[in-house]
Amino acid sequence: MTQVNRSMTGKVTFEIPTNTHLTSWSRNPNINAQLTLKDSAGSEVKFTSDATGKFELGKLNEGDYTYEIVGIIGGGTTIANKISGRIKVNGRNVSASESRSSAVPPAIAPPPGTTPGTTSIGSAGSLEGVSIAERMNALNDMFRENVAPLEQARANMAISEEEQEAILAILSDTVTADNINTRRISLQTHLQKLIKDIKTEEGTIKSLMEHYEIHAISETIKGLENAELPPTEAEIKAKFDFPKVDSGKFPELAAKAETFEEEKLKLIDNSNSLKDKVDEAKTATKAFDKKTLSDNKENLKRISRSKAKYEEKLTKIIAELNRGPNEIRLNNLQGRIGDLISKNDTSADITSITNFGTKMDEEIEKLNNISQEIEELIEAHNELTNGLAMIMSELAELAERTS
């Protein structure tokens, strides 16, 4: 008989205590009983039962609902049987009925002569380590989707480079009595423009540094360090344990048991491969963080310091130009300006940050290839685990029939 209770706070508890199928699912550690509640508008909400087969549905609005209950094995495989019915909410009155119930596989039962509980696989149904792949993919997304700071820095540095070339063109002519005044004013104007460009350049370099300071690699490393690792060989064998079968007396059972052992070996190989791949990811991400990313940030700090000193020296030269130097003094200042520009070659800095950007992009591509391999191994792990749980259920059923 279907039972629905409504508490003083309006929360609804739903159960079908006499349904042997739901009771069977609730007792089975490998199966979750899942209820899908649908209102008259077609909106759906899903609930999972507790160990006794009860569903806490919370507060329900007035109206008619339909429900469907299925058994879910491990990482999401649905048992091909279901229980369905209706729930009606009218004020404080709540009623329910079971309209259809089909036969379902029995709960796992230990074969005769074995210790109860030896077939339970506990939480082995699904590996939560999928977060490993998700965290690593976030790294790729962040770098590829937000390249604006890098592109902006390169664009601004290119503008500074053009201004430096314009100044060098002016310096190619010697200062004479005829051009001294126009030369001094021209240099002042261009140097002031260059300083303005450098200030803009410094701002975008700072933005690029901040971009790399909050790089996703740190969260990726945390995710790998805290990730749930796959079970060891000993853990798998303990969780998937089934007594030896007499191949002569029970050939069908023996064949199923052989398949079970073969699948168990595949799961062990998968877990070992997954552990190795996670270790590889840990090593690769840490190397990327400590070497490539760190070197990139240090390079940007070096460029930033260099730009600040460059700006300071240019400002001092402008101050000397303002004092109206004579021909000899202005020719000397031109020589100093030329040396200063050659020592602060913007094209070299552009090449430097471009090369780092390319190197980081290449290494992140490698990290994401590892991430993809991890994701595929996790998917295979869950499929193998769910398959073993189903085979174990079949073994238990065969053992019960042949006892």
Side-chain angles (χ1 to χ4, degrees):
M1 178 179 177
T2 305
Q3 293 181 357
V4 178
N5 297 313
R6 189 167 187 173
S7 69
M8 294 297 292
T9 59
K11 292 184 178 180
V12 176
T13 301
F14 173 67
E15 62 178 317
I16 312 176
T18 58
N19 188 292
T20 57
H21 310 313
L22 178 57
T23 303
S24 173
W25 290 340
S26 300
R27 285 203 310 261
N28 191 330
N30 304 319
I31 300 176
N32 288 323
Q34 180 177 279
L35 180 148
T36 301
L37 189 68
K38 183 184 293 186
D39 64 18
S40 57
S43 297
E44 294 183 354
V45 184
K46 297 185 184 297
F47 305 87
T48 302
S49 76
D50 61 19
T52 66
K54 293 181 182 179
F55 296 88
E56 297 293 340
L57 306 184
K59 295 182 179 181
L60 297 179
N61 296 326
E62 289 197 5
D64 295 329
Y65 299 81
T66 59
Y67 68 83
E68 184 178 280
I69 305 173
V70 295
I72 306 293
I73 300 176
T77 303
T78 303
I79 295 175
N81 307 99
K82 59 188 176 184
I83 306 164
S84 57
R86 294 181 174 279
I87 298 175
K88 185 178 182 65
V89 180
N90 183 13
R92 293 199 58 80
N93 297 318
V94 184
S95 59
S97 62
E98 180 183 337
S99 59
R100 181 159 53 91
S101 177
S102 55
V104 297
I108 296 175
T114 64
T115 304
T118 57
T119 56
S120 173
I121 64 167
S123 61
S126 178
L127 187 68
E128 294 301 326
V130 68
S131 61
I132 301 169
E134 290 174 352
R135 288 180 187 274
M136 293 189 71
N137 280 327
L139 168 67
N140 184 57
D141 292 341
M142 177 178 179
F143 186 77
R144 291 186 181 280
E145 291 178 8
N146 189 14
V147 296
L150 176 62
E151 295 298 335
Q152 190 63 59
R154 288 195 295 206
N156 286 334
M157 292 175 85
I159 293 173
S160 297
E161 185 179 17
E162 288 180 5
E163 188 59 41
Q164 288 182 147
E165 289 175 355
I167 293 171
L168 289 174
I170 295 172
L171 300 179
S172 61
D173 289 337
T174 305
V175 177
T176 64
D178 294 331
N179 66 14
I180 185 170
N181 289 328
T182 56
R183 178 63 52 81
R184 181 175 62 83
I185 294 172
S186 177
L187 285 174
Q188 285 175 314
T189 301
H190 280 279
L191 289 176
Q192 287 170 346
K193 172 66 167 56
L194 179 57
I195 289 175
K196 182 180 178 181
D197 290 342
I198 291 172
K199 286 182 180 295
T200 303
E201 197 177 331
E202 287 177 311
T204 50
I205 291 172
K206 182 181 178 181
S207 296
L208 186 57
M209 289 170 62
E210 291 172 350
H211 170 65
Y212 290 137
E213 283 294 337
I214 58 172
H215 203 278
I217 192 67
S218 58
E219 287 301 314
T220 302
I221 292 172
K222 287 180 185 177
L224 290 169
E225 289 297 332
N226 298 325
E228 178 185 347
L229 293 178
T232 63
E233 179 175 349
E235 289 171 336
I236 291 172
K237 288 181 176 179
K239 289 178 182 293
F240 294 100
D241 186 28
F242 201 87
K244 295 295 181 182
V245 177
D246 190 327
S247 58
K249 291 183 180 180
F250 311 112
E252 184 182 0
L253 182 59
K256 182 65 68 175
E258 183 177 351
T259 301
F260 179 70
E261 292 302 322
E262 290 172 354
E263 293 300 300
K264 189 192 299 184
L265 289 176
K266 290 180 183 179
L267 180 59
I268 291 170
D269 288 341
N270 170 276
S271 284
N272 289 336
S273 297
L274 186 50
K275 182 181 181 303
D276 290 343
K277 190 57 63 175
V278 171
D279 287 340
E280 181 184 347
K282 287 181 180 180
T283 300
T285 51
K286 288 179 180 178
F288 175 83
D289 182 47
K290 292 181 179 179
K291 180 61 178 173
T292 306
L293 182 58
S294 178
D295 287 352
N296 193 357
K297 290 190 289 188
E298 285 302 315
N299 182 56
L300 290 172
K301 290 177 183 177
R302 175 193 63 76
I303 293 174
S304 182
R305 290 192 298 267
S306 175
K307 295 297 177 185
K309 290 181 180 178
Y310 188 25
E311 179 187 340
E312 181 182 352
K313 290 178 180 179
L314 289 174
T315 301
K316 288 181 179 179
I317 288 176
I318 290 176
E320 292 186 47
L321 288 171
N322 289 338
R323 287 194 285 268
N326 58 27
E327 292 178 38
I328 296 175
R329 185 60 181 160
L330 187 53
N331 270 314
N332 289 336
L333 283 176
Q334 285 198 156
R336 285 171 55 191
I337 293 170
D339 289 342
L340 195 56
I341 290 176
S342 65
K343 291 177 181 178
N344 290 273
D345 184 8
T346 302
S347 63
D349 291 334
I350 293 174
T351 300
S352 174
I353 67 168
T354 300
N355 288 344
F356 266 112
T358 301
K359 185 176 181 180
M360 287 180 63
D361 206 7
E362 290 172 350
E363 292 195 16
I364 289 171
E365 187 71 33
K366 293 176 183 177
L367 288 176
N368 279 277
N369 288 338
I370 296 174
S371 170
Q372 181 62 38
E373 292 175 42
I374 288 174
E375 192 171 14
E376 291 170 358
L377 285 168
I378 290 171
E379 184 178 348
H381 173 95
N382 291 336
E383 288 178 358
L384 286 166
T385 302
N386 295 335
L388 278 168
M390 294 182 72
I391 295 173
M392 184 175 278
S393 181
E394 294 168 0
L395 279 169
E397 183 183 358
L398 284 170
E400 191 172 303
R401 291 210 310 258
T402 54
S403 61

